[in-house]
mmCIF file of all heavy atoms in Angstrom:
data_model
loop_
_atom_site.group_PDB
_atom_site.id
_atom_site.type_symbol
_atom_site.label_atom_id
_atom_site.label_comp_id
_atom_site.label_asym_id
_atom_site.label_seq_id
_atom_site.Cartn_x
_atom_site.Cartn_y
_atom_site.Cartn_z
ATOM 1 N N SER U 1 26.641 66.381 99.370
ATOM 2 C CA SER U 1 26.484 66.832 100.720
ATOM 3 C C SER U 1 27.597 66.235 101.589
ATOM 4 O O SER U 1 27.718 65.027 101.698
ATOM 5 C CB SER U 1 25.118 66.446 101.252
ATOM 6 O OG SER U 1 24.959 66.896 102.601
ATOM 7 N N TYR U 2 28.396 67.124 102.188
ATOM 8 C CA TYR U 2 29.531 66.624 103.035
ATOM 9 C C TYR U 2 29.011 65.876 104.219
ATOM 10 O O TYR U 2 28.267 66.398 105.006
ATOM 11 C CB TYR U 2 30.331 67.887 103.426
ATOM 12 C CG TYR U 2 31.682 67.605 104.044
ATOM 13 C CD1 TYR U 2 32.780 67.566 103.276
ATOM 14 C CD2 TYR U 2 31.832 67.295 105.368
ATOM 15 C CE1 TYR U 2 34.058 67.299 103.782
ATOM 16 C CE2 TYR U 2 33.066 67.047 105.937
ATOM 17 C CZ TYR U 2 34.125 67.028 105.161
ATOM 18 O OH TYR U 2 35.365 66.740 105.704
ATOM 19 N N SER U 3 29.454 64.642 104.321
ATOM 20 C CA SER U 3 28.925 63.779 105.379
ATOM 21 C C SER U 3 30.057 62.885 105.978
ATOM 22 O O SER U 3 30.664 62.131 105.183
ATOM 23 C CB SER U 3 27.781 62.886 104.870
ATOM 24 O OG SER U 3 27.432 61.854 105.781
ATOM 25 N N ASN U 4 30.288 63.019 107.223
ATOM 26 C CA ASN U 4 31.278 62.190 107.917
ATOM 27 C C ASN U 4 30.949 60.652 107.782
ATOM 28 O O ASN U 4 31.882 59.876 107.802
ATOM 29 C CB ASN U 4 31.377 62.536 109.381
ATOM 30 C CG ASN U 4 32.044 63.903 109.568
ATOM 31 O OD1 ASN U 4 33.098 64.192 108.999
ATOM 32 N ND2 ASN U 4 31.474 64.724 110.407
ATOM 33 N N THR U 5 29.664 60.358 107.591
ATOM 34 C CA THR U 5 29.283 58.964 107.492
ATOM 35 C C THR U 5 29.969 58.281 106.287
ATOM 36 O O THR U 5 30.330 57.101 106.366
ATOM 37 C CB THR U 5 27.731 58.863 107.331
ATOM 38 O OG1 THR U 5 27.112 59.608 108.369
ATOM 39 C CG2 THR U 5 27.272 57.409 107.346
ATOM 40 N N ASN U 6 30.120 59.048 105.207
ATOM 41 C CA ASN U 6 30.744 58.454 104.003
ATOM 42 C C ASN U 6 32.171 57.918 104.360
ATOM 43 O O ASN U 6 32.498 56.877 103.848
ATOM 44 C CB ASN U 6 30.894 59.585 102.939
ATOM 45 C CG ASN U 6 29.582 59.927 102.317
ATOM 46 O OD1 ASN U 6 28.787 59.072 101.987
ATOM 47 N ND2 ASN U 6 29.344 61.183 102.142
ATOM 48 N N TYR U 7 32.896 58.595 105.089
ATOM 49 C CA TYR U 7 34.296 58.185 105.397
ATOM 50 C C TYR U 7 34.355 57.178 106.523
ATOM 51 O O TYR U 7 35.321 56.377 106.535
ATOM 52 C CB TYR U 7 35.224 59.398 105.615
ATOM 53 C CG TYR U 7 35.620 59.954 104.254
ATOM 54 C CD1 TYR U 7 34.849 60.664 103.483
ATOM 55 C CD2 TYR U 7 36.859 59.563 103.757
ATOM 56 C CE1 TYR U 7 35.186 61.123 102.208
ATOM 57 C CE2 TYR U 7 37.287 60.030 102.523
ATOM 58 C CZ TYR U 7 36.430 60.773 101.726
ATOM 59 O OH TYR U 7 36.836 61.176 100.452
ATOM 60 N N THR U 8 33.426 57.129 107.412
ATOM 61 C CA THR U 8 33.352 56.009 108.317
ATOM 62 C C THR U 8 33.018 54.748 107.590
ATOM 63 O O THR U 8 33.705 53.697 107.842
ATOM 64 C CB THR U 8 32.265 56.293 109.455
ATOM 65 O OG1 THR U 8 32.701 57.462 110.201
ATOM 66 C CG2 THR U 8 32.151 55.102 110.394
ATOM 67 N N VAL U 9 32.081 54.811 106.646
ATOM 68 C CA VAL U 9 31.795 53.603 105.835
ATOM 69 C C VAL U 9 33.064 53.224 104.986
ATOM 70 O O VAL U 9 33.360 52.041 104.865
ATOM 71 C CB VAL U 9 30.595 53.863 104.931
ATOM 72 C CG1 VAL U 9 30.370 52.704 103.992
ATOM 73 C CG2 VAL U 9 29.335 54.072 105.815
ATOM 74 N N ALA U 10 33.763 54.256 104.478
ATOM 75 C CA ALA U 10 34.972 53.942 103.662
ATOM 76 C C ALA U 10 36.025 53.266 104.481
ATOM 77 O O ALA U 10 36.686 52.344 103.988
ATOM 78 C CB ALA U 10 35.490 55.279 103.049
ATOM 79 N N ALA U 11 36.231 53.653 105.762
ATOM 80 C CA ALA U 11 37.194 52.987 106.584
ATOM 81 C C ALA U 11 36.747 51.565 106.894
ATOM 82 O O ALA U 11 37.569 50.693 106.924
ATOM 83 C CB ALA U 11 37.332 53.756 107.905
ATOM 84 N N LEU U 12 35.456 51.340 107.116
ATOM 85 C CA LEU U 12 34.941 49.976 107.297
ATOM 86 C C LEU U 12 35.070 49.174 105.995
ATOM 87 O O LEU U 12 35.314 47.935 106.066
ATOM 88 C CB LEU U 12 33.468 50.057 107.706
ATOM 89 C CG LEU U 12 33.192 50.588 109.157
ATOM 90 C CD1 LEU U 12 31.793 50.740 109.430
ATOM 91 C CD2 LEU U 12 33.885 49.719 110.193
ATOM 92 N N LEU U 13 35.010 49.789 104.871
ATOM 93 C CA LEU U 13 35.253 49.131 103.588
ATOM 94 C C LEU U 13 36.645 48.632 103.521
ATOM 95 O O LEU U 13 36.935 47.549 103.074
ATOM 96 C CB LEU U 13 34.884 50.110 102.492
ATOM 97 C CG LEU U 13 34.794 49.601 101.038
ATOM 98 C CD1 LEU U 13 33.739 48.532 100.947
ATOM 99 C CD2 LEU U 13 34.500 50.768 100.081
ATOM 100 N N ILE U 14 37.599 49.442 103.906
ATOM 101 C CA ILE U 14 39.017 49.073 104.001
ATOM 102 C C ILE U 14 39.146 47.793 104.885
ATOM 103 O O ILE U 14 39.839 46.813 104.448
ATOM 104 C CB ILE U 14 39.873 50.177 104.536
ATOM 105 C CG1 ILE U 14 39.952 51.383 103.572
ATOM 106 C CG2 ILE U 14 41.295 49.700 104.851
ATOM 107 C CD1 ILE U 14 40.589 52.649 104.150
ATOM 108 N N GLU U 15 38.502 47.812 106.015
ATOM 109 C CA GLU U 15 38.613 46.629 106.898
ATOM 110 C C GLU U 15 37.974 45.404 106.259
ATOM 111 O O GLU U 15 38.524 44.255 106.415
ATOM 112 C CB GLU U 15 37.920 46.999 108.206
ATOM 113 C CG GLU U 15 38.649 48.110 108.941
ATOM 114 C CD GLU U 15 38.109 48.313 110.385
ATOM 115 O OE1 GLU U 15 37.013 47.827 110.697
ATOM 116 O OE2 GLU U 15 38.821 48.958 111.169
ATOM 117 N N ALA U 16 36.847 45.556 105.622
ATOM 118 C CA ALA U 16 36.146 44.408 104.993
ATOM 119 C C ALA U 16 36.964 43.800 103.907
ATOM 120 O O ALA U 16 37.036 42.534 103.768
ATOM 121 C CB ALA U 16 34.824 44.856 104.446
ATOM 122 N N VAL U 17 37.674 44.618 103.109
ATOM 123 C CA VAL U 17 38.445 44.135 101.969
ATOM 124 C C VAL U 17 39.744 43.539 102.352
ATOM 125 O O VAL U 17 40.238 42.538 101.833
ATOM 126 C CB VAL U 17 38.592 45.259 100.919
ATOM 127 C CG1 VAL U 17 39.567 44.834 99.853
ATOM 128 C CG2 VAL U 17 37.244 45.619 100.316
ATOM 129 N N THR U 18 40.438 44.127 103.366
ATOM 130 C CA THR U 18 41.808 43.722 103.681
ATOM 131 C C THR U 18 41.813 42.729 104.872
ATOM 132 O O THR U 18 42.859 42.019 105.002
ATOM 133 C CB THR U 18 42.670 44.950 104.094
ATOM 134 O OG1 THR U 18 42.107 45.539 105.305
ATOM 135 C CG2 THR U 18 42.655 45.993 102.976
ATOM 136 N N GLY U 19 40.796 42.681 105.746
ATOM 137 C CA GLY U 19 40.809 41.777 106.836
ATOM 138 C C GLY U 19 41.634 42.412 107.977
ATOM 139 O O GLY U 19 41.886 41.704 109.005
ATOM 140 N N ARG U 20 42.115 43.632 107.850
ATOM 141 C CA ARG U 20 42.879 44.305 108.943
ATOM 142 C C ARG U 20 42.120 45.588 109.344
ATOM 143 O O ARG U 20 41.314 46.095 108.604
ATOM 144 C CB ARG U 20 44.278 44.699 108.408
ATOM 145 C CG ARG U 20 45.224 43.513 108.288
ATOM 146 C CD ARG U 20 46.558 43.933 107.754
ATOM 147 N NE ARG U 20 46.547 44.214 106.338
ATOM 148 C CZ ARG U 20 46.864 43.360 105.432
ATOM 149 N NH1 ARG U 20 47.191 42.085 105.755
ATOM 150 N NH2 ARG U 20 46.785 43.658 104.128
ATOM 151 N N SER U 21 42.466 46.082 110.504
ATOM 152 C CA SER U 21 41.882 47.337 110.968
ATOM 153 C C SER U 21 42.250 48.443 110.044
ATOM 154 O O SER U 21 43.353 48.413 109.422
ATOM 155 C CB SER U 21 42.300 47.662 112.391
ATOM 156 O OG SER U 21 43.626 48.132 112.439
ATOM 157 N N TYR U 22 41.392 49.397 109.970
ATOM 158 C CA TYR U 22 41.702 50.550 109.040
ATOM 159 C C TYR U 22 42.963 51.268 109.499
ATOM 160 O O TYR U 22 43.777 51.740 108.674
ATOM 161 C CB TYR U 22 40.465 51.538 109.053
ATOM 162 C CG TYR U 22 40.702 52.927 109.448
ATOM 163 C CD1 TYR U 22 41.251 53.866 108.593
ATOM 164 C CD2 TYR U 22 40.268 53.342 110.744
ATOM 165 C CE1 TYR U 22 41.433 55.165 109.030
ATOM 166 C CE2 TYR U 22 40.397 54.669 111.142
ATOM 167 C CZ TYR U 22 41.027 55.566 110.273
ATOM 168 O OH TYR U 22 41.180 56.927 110.691
ATOM 169 N N GLY U 23 43.191 51.329 110.833
ATOM 170 C CA GLY U 23 44.425 52.020 111.353
ATOM 171 C C GLY U 23 45.680 51.195 110.908
ATOM 172 O O GLY U 23 46.665 51.764 110.541
ATOM 173 N N ASP U 24 45.626 49.894 111.026
ATOM 174 C CA ASP U 24 46.789 49.065 110.630
ATOM 175 C C ASP U 24 47.023 49.171 109.119
ATOM 176 O O ASP U 24 48.182 49.212 108.730
ATOM 177 C CB ASP U 24 46.499 47.596 110.915
ATOM 178 C CG ASP U 24 46.628 47.248 112.434
ATOM 179 O OD1 ASP U 24 47.140 48.128 113.229
ATOM 180 O OD2 ASP U 24 46.189 46.155 112.850
ATOM 181 N N GLU U 25 45.978 49.270 108.316
ATOM 182 C CA GLU U 25 46.176 49.420 106.882
ATOM 183 C C GLU U 25 46.748 50.739 106.536
ATOM 184 O O GLU U 25 47.539 50.864 105.618
ATOM 185 C CB GLU U 25 44.839 49.128 106.170
ATOM 186 C CG GLU U 25 44.989 48.733 104.731
ATOM 187 C CD GLU U 25 45.673 47.365 104.499
ATOM 188 O OE1 GLU U 25 45.932 46.627 105.494
ATOM 189 O OE2 GLU U 25 46.016 47.088 103.377
ATOM 190 N N VAL U 26 46.306 51.808 107.203
ATOM 191 C CA VAL U 26 46.847 53.153 106.981
ATOM 192 C C VAL U 26 48.365 53.152 107.341
ATOM 193 O O VAL U 26 49.181 53.739 106.589
ATOM 194 C CB VAL U 26 46.104 54.220 107.777
ATOM 195 C CG1 VAL U 26 46.877 55.520 107.866
ATOM 196 C CG2 VAL U 26 44.708 54.466 107.163
ATOM 197 N N HIS U 27 48.684 52.484 108.458
ATOM 198 C CA HIS U 27 50.038 52.509 108.838
ATOM 199 C C HIS U 27 50.907 51.628 107.842
ATOM 200 O O HIS U 27 51.993 52.098 107.457
ATOM 201 C CB HIS U 27 50.184 51.758 110.208
ATOM 202 C CG HIS U 27 51.492 51.906 110.857
ATOM 203 N ND1 HIS U 27 52.522 51.027 110.645
ATOM 204 C CD2 HIS U 27 52.034 52.883 111.684
ATOM 205 C CE1 HIS U 27 53.607 51.435 111.366
ATOM 206 N NE2 HIS U 27 53.350 52.558 111.933
ATOM 207 N N ARG U 28 50.383 50.555 107.331
ATOM 208 C CA ARG U 28 51.156 49.689 106.448
ATOM 209 C C ARG U 28 51.330 50.301 105.076
ATOM 210 O O ARG U 28 52.461 50.229 104.451
ATOM 211 C CB ARG U 28 50.414 48.385 106.294
ATOM 212 C CG ARG U 28 51.111 47.273 105.510
ATOM 213 C CD ARG U 28 50.367 45.991 105.519
ATOM 214 N NE ARG U 28 49.231 46.044 104.615
ATOM 215 C CZ ARG U 28 49.265 45.709 103.287
ATOM 216 N NH1 ARG U 28 50.501 45.312 102.807
ATOM 217 N NH2 ARG U 28 48.257 45.735 102.546
ATOM 218 N N ARG U 29 50.319 51.048 104.592
ATOM 219 C CA ARG U 29 50.364 51.560 103.251
ATOM 220 C C ARG U 29 50.875 53.031 103.131
ATOM 221 O O ARG U 29 51.424 53.425 102.065
ATOM 222 C CB ARG U 29 48.950 51.517 102.641
ATOM 223 C CG ARG U 29 48.475 50.107 102.364
ATOM 224 C CD ARG U 29 47.006 50.124 101.903
ATOM 225 N NE ARG U 29 46.576 48.816 101.452
ATOM 226 C CZ ARG U 29 46.625 48.342 100.197
ATOM 227 N NH1 ARG U 29 47.106 49.154 99.223
ATOM 228 N NH2 ARG U 29 46.218 47.167 99.897
ATOM 229 N N ILE U 30 50.647 53.838 104.191
ATOM 230 C CA ILE U 30 50.955 55.225 104.121
ATOM 231 C C ILE U 30 52.009 55.677 105.110
ATOM 232 O O ILE U 30 53.094 56.184 104.746
ATOM 233 C CB ILE U 30 49.684 56.117 104.285
ATOM 234 C CG1 ILE U 30 48.561 55.675 103.378
ATOM 235 C CG2 ILE U 30 50.017 57.605 104.155
ATOM 236 C CD1 ILE U 30 48.817 55.942 101.900
ATOM 237 N N LEU U 31 51.752 55.480 106.380
ATOM 238 C CA LEU U 31 52.590 56.054 107.425
ATOM 239 C C LEU U 31 53.977 55.460 107.424
ATOM 240 O O LEU U 31 54.961 56.203 107.448
ATOM 241 C CB LEU U 31 51.935 55.856 108.826
ATOM 242 C CG LEU U 31 50.477 56.323 108.955
ATOM 243 C CD1 LEU U 31 50.057 56.201 110.414
ATOM 244 C CD2 LEU U 31 50.330 57.784 108.456
ATOM 245 N N ARG U 32 54.075 54.129 107.380
ATOM 246 C CA ARG U 32 55.408 53.469 107.429
ATOM 247 C C ARG U 32 56.213 53.751 106.156
ATOM 248 O O ARG U 32 57.410 54.199 106.284
ATOM 249 C CB ARG U 32 55.266 52.002 107.645
ATOM 250 C CG ARG U 32 56.622 51.298 107.900
ATOM 251 C CD ARG U 32 56.436 49.797 107.938
ATOM 252 N NE ARG U 32 55.491 49.401 108.987
ATOM 253 C CZ ARG U 32 54.844 48.237 108.944
ATOM 254 N NH1 ARG U 32 55.006 47.372 108.016
ATOM 255 N NH2 ARG U 32 53.946 48.006 109.927
ATOM 256 N N PRO U 33 55.663 53.600 104.967
ATOM 257 C CA PRO U 33 56.511 53.868 103.761
ATOM 258 C C PRO U 33 56.950 55.369 103.679
ATOM 259 O O PRO U 33 58.053 55.617 103.151
ATOM 260 C CB PRO U 33 55.555 53.524 102.601
ATOM 261 C CG PRO U 33 54.589 52.579 103.196
ATOM 262 C CD PRO U 33 54.379 53.043 104.614
ATOM 263 N N LEU U 34 56.190 56.283 104.149
ATOM 264 C CA LEU U 34 56.494 57.691 104.015
ATOM 265 C C LEU U 34 57.287 58.187 105.235
ATOM 266 O O LEU U 34 57.648 59.355 105.264
ATOM 267 C CB LEU U 34 55.267 58.557 103.828
ATOM 268 C CG LEU U 34 54.449 58.299 102.516
ATOM 269 C CD1 LEU U 34 53.308 59.272 102.455
ATOM 270 C CD2 LEU U 34 55.311 58.386 101.341
ATOM 271 N N GLY U 35 57.524 57.367 106.206
ATOM 272 C CA GLY U 35 58.188 57.806 107.445
ATOM 273 C C GLY U 35 57.427 58.754 108.276
ATOM 274 O O GLY U 35 58.001 59.590 108.962
ATOM 275 N N MET U 36 56.103 58.606 108.287
ATOM 276 C CA MET U 36 55.252 59.512 109.069
ATOM 277 C C MET U 36 55.150 58.982 110.502
ATOM 278 O O MET U 36 54.103 58.500 110.968
ATOM 279 C CB MET U 36 53.895 59.620 108.409
ATOM 280 C CG MET U 36 53.915 60.327 106.999
ATOM 281 S SD MET U 36 52.311 60.200 106.135
ATOM 282 C CE MET U 36 51.213 61.233 107.129
ATOM 283 N N ARG U 37 56.205 59.093 111.215
ATOM 284 C CA ARG U 37 56.388 58.470 112.513
ATOM 285 C C ARG U 37 55.581 59.136 113.573
ATOM 286 O O ARG U 37 55.352 58.557 114.660
ATOM 287 C CB ARG U 37 57.898 58.432 112.920
ATOM 288 C CG ARG U 37 58.702 57.615 111.997
ATOM 289 C CD ARG U 37 60.203 57.600 112.438
ATOM 290 N NE ARG U 37 61.034 56.831 111.501
ATOM 291 C CZ ARG U 37 61.596 57.298 110.409
ATOM 292 N NH1 ARG U 37 61.360 58.641 110.116
ATOM 293 N NH2 ARG U 37 62.333 56.618 109.619
ATOM 294 N N ASP U 38 55.203 60.366 113.399
ATOM 295 C CA ASP U 38 54.412 61.121 114.441
ATOM 296 C C ASP U 38 52.945 61.133 114.139
ATOM 297 O O ASP U 38 52.199 61.900 114.812
ATOM 298 C CB ASP U 38 55.028 62.474 114.551
ATOM 299 C CG ASP U 38 56.465 62.548 114.979
ATOM 300 O OD1 ASP U 38 56.799 61.665 115.837
ATOM 301 O OD2 ASP U 38 57.241 63.357 114.448
#
């Protein structure tokens, strides 16, 4: 069953494991290395 709750929990899981905000971790791992500046 498609549920937005799953991915909100997944983003919080990222924060719990890394100690950084989910946005910062996305930027560090995906956006910056791939040059996704926009």
Side-chain angles (χ1 to χ4, degrees):
S1 181
Y2 191 94
S3 172
N4 288 314
T5 308
N6 288 315
Y7 276 78
T8 295
V9 175
L12 291 174
L13 190 59
I14 292 170
E15 296 188 344
V17 171
T18 66
R20 286 180 284 267
S21 74
Y22 121 78
D24 285 348
E25 201 66 9
V26 165
H27 191 272
R28 187 175 76 88
R29 291 173 174 269
I30 306 293
L31 307 186
R32 187 186 304 158
L34 296 184
M36 296 172 64
R37 298 180 182 87
D38 297 321

